Amino acid sequence: MSDNERKPVAPYMAVGLSTVVYGIAKRKHIKVNLETIAENIHAAVSMVNINMPVRLIALAEGALTGFTDEAFDLPHTLAAKELFIDIPGEETECLANLARLYDTYIIVQCKARWPEVMPDRYFNTLFIISPAGEIVHKAAKNHLWCRERSCTPHDVYDRWIEIFGEGIEAFYPVLKTTDIGNIGTICCSDGEYPEAVRALAFNGAEVVYRPSEAMPMTGNSYPGGGGWMIQNRGHAQFNSLYMICPNVGPVFLHPKMKHPIDIAGGNSHIVDYYGNIMSYSASGYNTMAAAIIDVEALRQFRVMNLNSNWMKDLRTEVFRKMYELPIHPKNLWLDQDPLPHEKVDEIYRANIRCLIKRGAFTEPAHRFRGAYYQTGASSPEEENWENIKALWDGWGEDEPLSWGEQ
Protein backbone atom coordinates (compact mmCIF):
# COMPACT_ATOMS: atom_id res chain seq x y z
CA MET A 1 0.00 0.00 0.00
CA SER A 2 1.44 3.38 -0.98
CA ASP A 3 1.63 6.33 1.41
CA ASN A 4 -1.21 8.00 -0.51
CA GLU A 5 -3.43 4.94 0.00
CA ARG A 6 -2.57 4.37 3.65
CA LYS A 7 -5.23 5.56 6.06
CA PRO A 8 -4.13 7.62 9.05
CA VAL A 9 -4.28 5.99 12.46
CA ALA A 10 -7.05 7.62 14.45
CA PRO A 11 -6.23 8.79 17.97
CA TYR A 12 -7.46 6.37 20.60
CA MET A 13 -7.55 5.78 24.33
CA ALA A 14 -5.09 3.36 25.92
CA VAL A 15 -5.80 1.97 29.38
CA GLY A 16 -3.34 0.37 31.80
CA LEU A 17 -5.10 -1.67 34.49
CA SER A 18 -3.95 -2.29 38.06
CA THR A 19 -5.82 -5.14 39.70
CA VAL A 20 -5.75 -6.85 43.07
CA VAL A 21 -4.08 -10.24 42.65
CA TYR A 22 -4.18 -13.63 44.36
CA GLY A 23 -1.11 -15.82 44.11
CA ILE A 24 -1.97 -19.23 42.68
CA ALA A 25 -1.04 -22.79 43.64
CA LYS A 26 -2.72 -24.41 40.64
CA ARG A 27 -3.44 -23.28 37.13
CA LYS A 28 -7.18 -23.49 37.84
CA HIS A 29 -6.81 -20.72 40.44
CA ILE A 30 -6.13 -18.23 37.63
CA LYS A 31 -9.87 -18.00 37.06
CA VAL A 32 -10.21 -16.01 40.30
CA ASN A 33 -7.88 -13.32 38.97
CA LEU A 34 -9.54 -13.42 35.57
CA GLU A 35 -12.88 -12.57 37.16
CA THR A 36 -11.28 -9.48 38.71
CA ILE A 37 -9.65 -8.53 35.40
CA ALA A 38 -12.95 -8.90 33.52
CA GLU A 39 -14.78 -6.69 36.04
CA ASN A 40 -12.09 -4.03 35.72
CA ILE A 41 -12.13 -4.11 31.92
CA HIS A 42 -15.91 -3.65 31.90
CA ALA A 43 -15.61 -0.70 34.28
CA ALA A 44 -12.62 0.89 32.55
CA VAL A 45 -14.13 0.84 29.08
CA SER A 46 -17.45 2.23 30.29
CA MET A 47 -15.66 5.17 31.95
CA VAL A 48 -12.81 5.93 29.59
CA ASN A 49 -14.60 5.62 26.26
CA ILE A 50 -16.49 8.86 26.91
CA ASN A 51 -13.39 10.61 25.54
CA MET A 52 -12.37 8.38 22.63
CA PRO A 53 -12.71 4.71 21.69
CA VAL A 54 -10.60 2.41 23.86
CA ARG A 55 -8.44 0.48 21.40
CA LEU A 56 -5.71 -0.78 23.72
CA ILE A 57 -5.99 -2.31 27.20
CA ALA A 58 -2.81 -3.37 29.02
CA LEU A 59 -2.71 -5.66 32.06
CA ALA A 60 -0.03 -5.55 34.76
CA GLU A 61 2.61 -8.21 35.30
CA GLY A 62 1.29 -10.81 37.72
CA ALA A 63 -2.34 -9.95 37.03
CA LEU A 64 -3.20 -13.56 36.14
CA THR A 65 -0.99 -15.58 38.47
CA GLY A 66 0.62 -13.47 41.16
CA PHE A 67 4.19 -14.36 42.09
CA THR A 68 4.00 -17.70 43.90
CA ASP A 69 7.02 -19.20 42.13
CA GLU A 70 9.19 -16.24 43.13
CA ALA A 71 7.91 -15.75 46.69
CA PHE A 72 8.24 -19.42 47.63
CA ASP A 73 11.32 -20.20 45.46
CA LEU A 74 9.55 -23.11 43.76
CA PRO A 75 11.49 -25.57 41.61
CA HIS A 76 11.23 -24.33 38.05
CA THR A 77 9.96 -27.54 36.47
CA LEU A 78 7.29 -27.93 39.16
CA ALA A 79 5.97 -24.43 38.52
CA ALA A 80 6.05 -25.01 34.77
CA LYS A 81 3.93 -28.11 35.16
CA GLU A 82 1.46 -27.09 37.87
CA LEU A 83 1.02 -23.30 37.77
CA PHE A 84 1.44 -21.76 34.35
CA ILE A 85 -0.41 -21.58 31.08
CA ASP A 86 -0.29 -22.47 27.42
CA ILE A 87 -0.73 -19.81 24.72
CA PRO A 88 -3.32 -20.07 23.30
CA GLY A 89 -5.36 -21.70 26.06
CA GLU A 90 -8.53 -21.36 28.08
CA GLU A 91 -7.19 -18.28 29.88
CA THR A 92 -6.36 -16.46 26.66
CA GLU A 93 -9.80 -17.33 25.29
CA CYS A 94 -11.38 -15.61 28.29
CA LEU A 95 -9.50 -12.44 27.40
CA ALA A 96 -10.22 -12.92 23.70
CA ASN A 97 -13.94 -12.76 24.50
CA LEU A 98 -13.37 -9.34 26.06
CA ALA A 99 -11.25 -8.15 23.13
CA ARG A 100 -14.02 -9.11 20.72
CA LEU A 101 -16.72 -7.57 22.91
CA TYR A 102 -15.01 -4.17 23.08
CA ASP A 103 -13.24 -4.20 19.69
CA THR A 104 -9.91 -3.63 21.39
CA TYR A 105 -6.40 -5.03 21.61
CA ILE A 106 -5.44 -6.50 24.99
CA ILE A 107 -1.78 -6.77 26.03
CA VAL A 108 -1.09 -9.43 28.63
CA GLN A 109 1.79 -10.76 30.71
CA CYS A 110 1.74 -14.32 31.99
CA LYS A 111 4.33 -16.98 32.68
CA ALA A 112 3.79 -19.66 30.09
CA ARG A 113 5.21 -22.84 28.67
CA TRP A 114 6.90 -22.72 25.25
CA PRO A 115 7.04 -26.44 24.36
CA GLU A 116 8.36 -25.65 20.90
CA VAL A 117 11.50 -24.29 22.57
CA MET A 118 12.02 -26.70 25.47
CA PRO A 119 9.86 -28.96 27.60
CA ASP A 120 9.63 -28.32 31.34
CA ARG A 121 10.47 -24.63 30.99
CA TYR A 122 8.34 -21.54 31.43
CA PHE A 123 9.07 -18.07 30.11
CA ASN A 124 7.75 -14.74 31.34
CA THR A 125 5.62 -14.09 28.28
CA LEU A 126 4.11 -10.95 26.77
CA PHE A 127 1.32 -11.45 24.24
CA ILE A 128 -1.26 -9.38 22.42
CA ILE A 129 -4.83 -10.37 21.58
CA SER A 130 -6.42 -8.63 18.59
CA PRO A 131 -10.02 -7.31 18.40
CA ALA A 132 -10.79 -10.50 16.47
CA GLY A 133 -9.70 -12.52 19.50
CA GLU A 134 -6.52 -13.85 17.91
CA ILE A 135 -3.03 -14.07 19.43
CA VAL A 136 -1.09 -11.74 17.12
CA HIS A 137 2.13 -11.22 19.10
CA LYS A 138 4.21 -13.21 21.57
CA ALA A 139 7.56 -12.32 23.14
CA ALA A 140 9.60 -13.44 26.15
CA LYS A 141 11.15 -11.37 28.90
CA ASN A 142 14.91 -11.15 28.40
CA HIS A 143 16.14 -9.82 31.77
CA LEU A 144 15.05 -10.94 35.24
CA TRP A 145 15.25 -9.48 38.68
CA CYS A 146 17.34 -11.63 41.02
CA ARG A 147 14.35 -13.35 42.63
CA GLU A 148 12.59 -14.47 39.48
CA ARG A 149 12.66 -18.12 38.44
CA SER A 150 11.60 -17.77 34.79
CA CYS A 151 13.69 -19.02 31.90
CA THR A 152 14.80 -16.39 29.36
CA PRO A 153 15.81 -16.72 25.70
CA HIS A 154 19.41 -16.03 26.76
CA ASP A 155 19.26 -18.94 29.22
CA VAL A 156 18.63 -21.32 26.30
CA TYR A 157 20.32 -19.11 23.72
CA ASP A 158 21.52 -21.79 21.30
CA ARG A 159 18.08 -23.40 21.13
CA TRP A 160 16.34 -20.02 20.81
CA ILE A 161 18.37 -18.84 17.83
CA GLU A 162 18.00 -22.25 16.21
CA ILE A 163 14.25 -21.66 16.12
CA PHE A 164 13.90 -17.88 15.81
CA GLY A 165 17.24 -16.70 14.41
CA GLU A 166 19.66 -14.27 16.04
CA GLY A 167 18.41 -10.92 14.76
CA ILE A 168 16.97 -8.27 17.05
CA GLU A 169 13.46 -9.34 16.02
CA ALA A 170 14.06 -12.80 17.54
CA PHE A 171 14.32 -11.22 21.00
CA TYR A 172 12.40 -7.94 20.59
CA PRO A 173 9.61 -8.49 18.06
CA VAL A 174 7.19 -5.67 17.21
CA LEU A 175 3.54 -6.02 16.19
CA LYS A 176 2.82 -3.69 13.25
CA THR A 177 -0.83 -2.76 12.82
CA THR A 178 -2.77 -0.36 10.61
CA ASP A 179 -5.18 0.74 13.35
CA ILE A 180 -3.19 1.34 16.57
CA GLY A 181 0.41 1.67 15.30
CA ASN A 182 3.42 -0.51 16.04
CA ILE A 183 3.47 -2.16 19.46
CA GLY A 184 6.50 -3.51 21.31
CA THR A 185 6.50 -5.40 24.60
CA ILE A 186 8.96 -5.74 27.46
CA CYS A 187 8.40 -6.55 31.12
CA CYS A 188 9.58 -5.12 34.43
CA SER A 189 13.35 -5.75 34.66
CA ASP A 190 13.73 -5.61 30.87
CA GLY A 191 13.27 -1.86 31.13
CA GLU A 192 16.22 -1.48 33.49
CA TYR A 193 18.42 -1.86 30.43
CA PRO A 194 18.18 0.99 27.90
CA GLU A 195 19.07 -1.41 25.11
CA ALA A 196 15.70 -3.17 25.38
CA VAL A 197 13.50 -0.27 24.29
CA ARG A 198 16.13 0.91 21.81
CA ALA A 199 15.96 -2.56 20.19
CA LEU A 200 12.17 -2.26 19.93
CA ALA A 201 12.52 1.24 18.48
CA PHE A 202 14.93 -0.02 15.80
CA ASN A 203 12.27 -2.61 14.95
CA GLY A 204 9.70 0.15 14.48
CA ALA A 205 7.94 0.31 17.85
CA GLU A 206 5.81 3.40 18.46
CA VAL A 207 4.05 2.25 21.63
CA VAL A 208 5.90 0.13 24.20
CA TYR A 209 4.28 -1.88 26.97
CA ARG A 210 6.31 -2.25 30.16
CA PRO A 211 4.24 -3.63 33.05
CA SER A 212 5.00 -3.68 36.76
CA GLU A 213 7.84 -2.85 39.07
CA ALA A 214 7.97 -3.20 42.84
CA MET A 215 9.51 -1.50 45.85
CA PRO A 216 12.10 -0.15 46.32
CA MET A 217 12.34 0.75 42.62
CA THR A 218 8.90 2.42 42.57
CA GLY A 219 9.39 4.37 45.79
CA ASN A 220 12.98 5.60 45.77
CA SER A 221 12.14 9.17 44.77
CA TYR A 222 9.42 11.74 45.43
CA PRO A 223 6.63 12.43 44.54
CA GLY A 224 6.02 8.99 43.00
CA GLY A 225 7.10 6.34 40.57
CA GLY A 226 10.72 6.13 41.65
CA GLY A 227 13.42 4.87 39.33
CA TRP A 228 10.78 2.93 37.39
CA MET A 229 9.10 6.12 36.22
CA ILE A 230 12.43 7.82 35.56
CA GLN A 231 13.44 4.90 33.33
CA ASN A 232 10.16 4.91 31.43
CA ARG A 233 10.32 8.65 30.81
CA GLY A 234 13.87 8.19 29.57
CA HIS A 235 12.87 5.34 27.26
CA ALA A 236 10.13 7.52 25.77
CA GLN A 237 12.36 10.57 25.37
CA PHE A 238 15.40 8.76 23.97
CA ASN A 239 13.39 6.74 21.45
CA SER A 240 10.47 9.06 20.58
CA LEU A 241 7.69 6.65 21.57
CA TYR A 242 4.85 6.14 24.03
CA MET A 243 5.30 4.00 27.15
CA ILE A 244 2.30 2.23 28.70
CA CYS A 245 3.24 1.08 32.19
CA PRO A 246 0.48 -0.50 34.33
CA ASN A 247 1.64 -1.63 37.75
CA VAL A 248 0.45 -4.62 39.73
CA GLY A 249 -2.10 -3.99 42.46
CA PRO A 250 -1.96 -5.27 46.04
CA VAL A 251 -1.06 -8.97 46.15
CA PHE A 252 -2.37 -11.77 48.34
CA LEU A 253 0.60 -14.15 48.36
CA HIS A 254 -1.87 -16.84 49.41
CA PRO A 255 -5.61 -16.77 50.15
CA LYS A 256 -5.27 -17.13 53.93
CA MET A 257 -3.69 -13.68 54.23
CA LYS A 258 -6.01 -11.21 55.95
CA HIS A 259 -4.71 -8.27 53.94
CA PRO A 260 -2.81 -8.00 50.65
CA ILE A 261 0.68 -6.57 50.38
CA ASP A 262 0.92 -3.48 48.18
CA ILE A 263 4.29 -4.46 46.73
CA ALA A 264 4.37 -1.67 44.14
CA GLY A 265 2.56 1.23 45.80
CA GLY A 266 0.49 1.94 42.68
CA ASN A 267 2.39 4.25 40.31
CA SER A 268 0.90 3.13 36.98
CA HIS A 269 1.56 5.69 34.26
CA ILE A 270 1.55 6.45 30.55
CA VAL A 271 4.30 8.56 29.01
CA ASP A 272 4.27 10.46 25.71
CA TYR A 273 7.10 10.63 23.19
CA TYR A 274 8.52 13.78 24.81
CA GLY A 275 8.88 11.91 28.11
CA ASN A 276 5.94 13.71 29.73
CA ILE A 277 3.60 11.88 32.11
CA MET A 278 0.19 11.83 30.44
CA SER A 279 -1.61 9.79 33.08
CA TYR A 280 -0.67 8.62 36.57
CA SER A 281 -2.38 6.65 39.33
CA ALA A 282 -1.09 6.73 42.90
CA SER A 283 -3.29 3.73 43.73
CA GLY A 284 -3.06 0.20 42.39
CA TYR A 285 -6.26 -1.09 43.98
CA ASN A 286 -8.40 -2.05 40.95
CA THR A 287 -7.78 1.18 39.10
CA MET A 288 -6.22 2.46 35.92
CA ALA A 289 -4.13 4.95 34.01
CA ALA A 290 -5.59 6.16 30.71
CA ALA A 291 -4.40 8.52 27.98
CA ILE A 292 -4.84 9.45 24.33
CA ILE A 293 -2.37 7.82 21.94
CA ASP A 294 -1.85 9.83 18.74
CA VAL A 295 0.33 7.72 16.47
CA GLU A 296 0.14 10.12 13.54
CA ALA A 297 1.45 12.99 15.68
CA LEU A 298 4.33 10.78 16.80
CA ARG A 299 5.15 9.89 13.20
CA GLN A 300 5.19 13.54 12.21
CA PHE A 301 7.45 14.32 15.17
CA ARG A 302 9.90 11.62 14.09
CA VAL A 303 10.16 12.66 10.44
CA MET A 304 9.81 16.46 10.61
CA ASN A 305 12.30 16.92 13.43
CA LEU A 306 16.00 17.64 12.93
CA ASN A 307 17.01 17.57 16.58
CA SER A 308 15.17 15.61 19.26
CA ASN A 309 14.31 12.47 17.27
CA TRP A 310 17.60 11.12 18.58
CA MET A 311 17.88 7.87 16.64
CA LYS A 312 18.28 9.67 13.32
CA ASP A 313 21.95 10.49 13.89
CA LEU A 314 23.10 7.69 16.17
CA ARG A 315 26.79 6.91 15.53
CA THR A 316 26.44 3.15 15.66
CA GLU A 317 30.06 2.38 14.78
CA VAL A 318 31.26 4.11 17.96
CA PHE A 319 29.39 1.62 20.15
CA ARG A 320 29.86 -1.52 18.10
CA LYS A 321 32.61 -3.11 20.19
CA MET A 322 31.02 -2.27 23.54
CA TYR A 323 29.23 -5.61 23.80
CA GLU A 324 31.82 -7.95 22.36
CA LEU A 325 32.73 -9.44 25.76
CA PRO A 326 29.95 -11.35 27.57
CA ILE A 327 28.90 -10.52 31.13
CA HIS A 328 26.02 -12.79 32.12
CA PRO A 329 26.64 -16.37 30.89
CA LYS A 330 24.32 -17.68 28.18
CA ASN A 331 22.76 -21.17 27.99
CA LEU A 332 22.59 -21.47 31.78
CA TRP A 333 19.47 -23.64 31.69
CA LEU A 334 19.97 -25.40 28.38
CA ASP A 335 21.31 -28.59 29.97
CA GLN A 336 20.22 -28.19 33.60
CA ASP A 337 17.07 -27.03 35.34
CA PRO A 338 17.06 -23.44 36.65
CA LEU A 339 18.60 -23.21 40.11
CA PRO A 340 17.05 -21.77 43.30
CA HIS A 341 17.58 -18.18 44.44
CA GLU A 342 20.57 -18.75 46.70
CA LYS A 343 22.58 -20.53 44.02
CA VAL A 344 21.66 -18.01 41.31
CA ASP A 345 22.96 -15.26 43.61
CA GLU A 346 26.44 -16.72 43.10
CA ILE A 347 26.12 -16.17 39.35
CA TYR A 348 25.37 -12.48 39.91
CA ARG A 349 28.30 -12.17 42.31
CA ALA A 350 30.59 -13.72 39.69
CA ASN A 351 29.32 -11.17 37.15
CA ILE A 352 30.23 -8.35 39.55
CA ARG A 353 33.74 -9.78 40.00
CA CYS A 354 34.04 -9.90 36.21
CA LEU A 355 33.18 -6.19 35.90
CA ILE A 356 35.71 -5.32 38.61
CA LYS A 357 38.40 -7.30 36.81
CA ARG A 358 37.66 -5.46 33.55
CA GLY A 359 37.78 -2.08 35.23
CA ALA A 360 34.10 -1.26 34.71
CA PHE A 361 33.51 -1.34 38.48
CA THR A 362 36.09 -0.07 40.97
CA GLU A 363 36.63 -2.14 44.10
CA PRO A 364 35.48 -0.26 47.23
CA ALA A 365 37.99 0.49 49.99
CA HIS A 366 36.33 -2.01 52.31
CA ARG A 367 34.03 -4.95 51.65
CA PHE A 368 30.81 -5.37 53.64
CA ARG A 369 28.34 -8.17 53.32
CA GLY A 370 26.13 -7.55 50.33
CA ALA A 371 22.59 -8.59 49.48
CA TYR A 372 21.76 -12.25 50.06
CA TYR A 373 18.74 -14.54 50.04
CA GLN A 374 16.83 -14.65 53.32
CA THR A 375 14.14 -17.31 53.52
CA GLY A 376 11.15 -16.60 55.71
CA ALA A 377 10.89 -20.25 56.70
CA SER A 378 11.93 -21.36 60.19
CA SER A 379 12.46 -24.99 59.17
CA PRO A 380 12.99 -27.06 56.01
CA GLU A 381 9.45 -28.39 56.38
CA GLU A 382 8.07 -24.87 55.97
CA GLU A 383 9.88 -24.59 52.62
CA ASN A 384 8.40 -27.82 51.31
CA TRP A 385 5.88 -27.08 48.54
CA GLU A 386 3.57 -29.91 49.61
CA ASN A 387 3.20 -28.20 52.97
CA ILE A 388 2.96 -24.69 51.52
CA LYS A 389 0.13 -25.77 49.21
CA ALA A 390 -2.10 -26.34 52.22
CA LEU A 391 -2.55 -22.56 52.36
CA TRP A 392 -4.79 -22.91 49.27
CA ASP A 393 -6.84 -25.90 50.49
CA GLY A 394 -10.45 -25.53 49.39
CA TRP A 395 -9.88 -22.12 47.78
CA GLY A 396 -10.85 -21.22 44.24
CA GLU A 397 -12.37 -24.62 43.52
CA ASP A 398 -16.00 -23.54 43.04
CA GLU A 399 -15.54 -20.46 40.86
CA PRO A 400 -17.69 -20.58 37.69
CA LEU A 401 -15.87 -21.03 34.39
CA SER A 402 -17.59 -18.01 32.84
CA TRP A 403 -14.72 -15.57 32.62
CA GLY A 404 -15.25 -12.80 30.13
CA GLU A 405 -18.15 -14.45 28.33
CA GLN A 406 -20.39 -12.13 26.37
Side-chain angles (χ1 to χ4, degrees):
M1 183 181 293
S2 70
D3 288 345
N4 290 334
E5 296 172 325
R6 192 174 68 222
K7 294 181 178 179
V9 177
Y12 60 87
M13 295 298 298
V15 175
L17 290 183
S18 295
T19 53
V20 176
V21 174
Y22 280 89
I24 65 167
K26 303 175 183 177
R27 182 177 174 180
K28 66 171 64 175
H29 293 155
I30 293 174
K31 62 181 177 285
V32 176
N33 291 323
L34 281 169
E35 291 283 3
T36 302
I37 290 166
E39 290 167 357
N40 277 264
I41 288 177
H42 292 313
V45 173
S46 68
M47 289 188 290
V48 174
N49 71 359
I50 61 172
N51 288 337
M52 286 187 182
V54 175
R55 300 305 320 283
L56 184 60
I57 298 172
L59 306 185
E61 183 187 21
L64 272 69
T65 63
F67 305 95
T68 306
D69 57 316
E70 302 174 22
F72 296 102
D73 198 12
L74 298 189
H76 181 96
T77 54
L78 181 152
K81 180 180 179 181
E82 296 186 13
L83 272 64
F84 298 130
I85 72 170
D86 302 299
I87 300 173
E90 57 186 10
E91 298 86 0
T92 67
E93 184 55 29
C94 157
L95 296 167
N97 287 335
L98 292 161
R100 286 188 284 261
L101 175 64
Y102 289 116
D103 188 33
T104 189
Y105 291 83
I106 300 179
I107 313 182
V108 189
Q109 175 279 337
C110 193
K111 291 167 182 170
R113 295 179 284 267
W114 291 50
E116 69 274 28
V117 177
M118 285 189 71
D120 299 324
R121 295 284 187 274
Y122 66 87
F123 295 79
N124 195 327
T125 305
L126 304 317
F127 61 97
I128 301 177
I129 302 171
S130 75
E134 299 173 342
I135 306 291
V136 291
H137 170 90
K138 189 168 84 164
K141 187 177 182 180
N142 286 288
H143 290 87
L144 308 178
W145 78 299
C146 62
R147 294 292 174 258
E148 183 171 346
R149 301 301 305 278
S150 305
C151 192
T152 73
H154 189 258
D155 294 330
V156 291
Y157 184 82
D158 289 351
R159 175 61 179 159
W160 193 271
I161 66 173
E162 178 185 345
I163 299 172
F164 301 109
E166 55 184 345
I168 297 175
E169 66 281 354
F171 302 94
Y172 294 98
V174 171
L175 173 67
K176 296 187 175 181
T177 77
T178 59
D179 51 349
I180 63 167
N182 303 333
I183 314 300
T185 57
I186 58 171
C187 183
C188 189
S189 299
D190 274 330
E192 285 149 7
Y193 305 86
E195 298 86 352
V197 178
R198 176 55 54 85
L200 291 171
F202 270 120
N203 276 342
E206 298 165 323
V207 179
V208 170
Y209 164 74
R210 183 199 178 188
S212 298
E213 187 66 271
M215 290 288 183
M217 289 74 73
T218 56
N220 56 9
S221 68
Y222 183 83
W228 186 50
M229 181 183 285
I230 292 170
Q231 290 166 3
N232 294 330
R233 296 184 72 175
H235 290 314
Q237 163 68 222
F238 290 139
N239 297 291
S240 303
L241 45 74
Y242 290 97
M243 296 290 298
I244 299 179
C245 309
N247 214 349
V248 67
V251 177
F252 289 89
L253 292 178
H254 58 80
K256 285 189 168 58
M257 290 178 64
K258 290 183 178 180
H259 305 287
I261 306 299
D262 191 0
I263 63 173
N267 294 300
S268 293
H269 52 277
I270 298 175
V271 188
D272 73 10
Y273 49 89
Y274 287 99
N276 298 319
I277 302 297
M278 303 173 69
S279 179
Y280 171 78
S281 175
S283 170
Y285 203 102
N286 290 340
T287 187
M288 71 204 73
I292 296 170
I293 304 298
D294 191 339
V295 170
E296 291 296 330
L298 179 151
R299 290 175 177 174
Q300 295 287 2
F301 178 84
R302 283 180 166 183
V303 303
M304 296 178 69
N305 200 332
L306 292 181
N307 183 57
S308 46
N309 50 350
W310 312 114
M311 281 175 56
K312 55 100 177 53
D313 54 347
L314 186 64
R315 276 72 165 169
T316 57
E317 294 85 358
V318 174
F319 304 106
R320 187 162 308 217
K321 292 187 178 295
M322 190 162 64
Y323 299 115
E324 283 189 337
L325 295 176
I327 298 172
H328 192 75
K330 66 181 180 181
N331 291 324
L332 280 171
W333 316 135
L334 191 62
D335 298 316
Q336 66 171 329
D337 292 340
L339 296 174
H341 294 331
E342 196 166 22
K343 292 186 180 298
V344 173
D345 283 355
E346 291 304 317
I347 298 171
Y348 292 119
R349 292 188 183 105
N351 294 347
I352 293 169
R353 290 193 294 271
C354 172
L355 292 171
I356 292 172
K357 185 176 180 180
R358 291 183 192 174
F361 287 0
T362 299
E363 187 90 50
H366 182 77
R367 280 291 191 101
F368 299 96
R369 185 177 189 180
Y372 65 99
Y373 177 62
Q374 294 176 279
T375 176
S378 59
S379 68
E381 289 74 23
E382 287 189 2
E383 293 183 297
N384 185 289
W385 177 236
E386 292 304 314
N387 295 327
I388 294 170
K389 280 198 297 188
L391 294 168
W392 282 264
D393 282 353
W395 179 81
E397 302 294 331
D398 301 323
E399 295 290 331
L401 302 179
S402 60
W403 330 313
E405 290 182 357
Q406 298 181 28

